[in-house]
Amino acid sequence: MPVVEQRVSYLEGQMNEYSHVVADIRETMRHLEHRMDERFDGLDQKMSRQFLWLVGVQMTMLIAVVGALIARA
């Protein structure tokens, strides 16, 4: 019976190693998710600024065109 006990002990060791590997993978995935969240937040802020600039430029053009039409009339 010592052979069976050795095999079970070996398998328990392997399972312990695999559980550590899976825990490391989970931690790495959490870290990656955190980094991606930070980048998406930065991208969202950048797009908001660009949208405000775009609206500002459009409003300026609208005022310029309306002013030109009024001055012409």
Side-chain angles (χ1 to χ4, degrees):
M1 280 299 172
V3 174
V4 173
E5 289 176 5
Q6 288 175 346
R7 288 182 179 178
V8 169
S9 176
Y10 173 75
L11 290 175
E12 285 176 347
Q14 290 292 89
M15 288 301 297
N16 192 20
E17 284 183 41
Y18 288 140
S19 66
H20 286 292
V21 170
V22 169
D24 288 342
I25 291 172
R26 284 183 183 154
E27 184 62 32
T28 302
M29 291 300 292
R30 284 188 193 112
H31 180 68
L32 178 61
E33 183 180 0
H34 179 68
R35 285 181 51 205
M36 288 180 68
D37 285 342
E38 287 177 350
R39 284 198 166 187
F40 280 124
D41 288 342
L43 181 63
D44 186 39
Q45 291 174 359
K46 182 178 179 180
M47 288 181 67
S48 293
R49 281 192 308 267
Q50 289 179 350
F51 177 75
L52 289 175
W53 272 96
L54 179 65
V55 170
V57 168
Q58 287 177 340
M59 291 302 293
T60 303
M61 289 299 295
L62 177 65
I63 292 170
V65 168
V66 169
L69 289 175
I70 290 174
R72 194 169 186 207

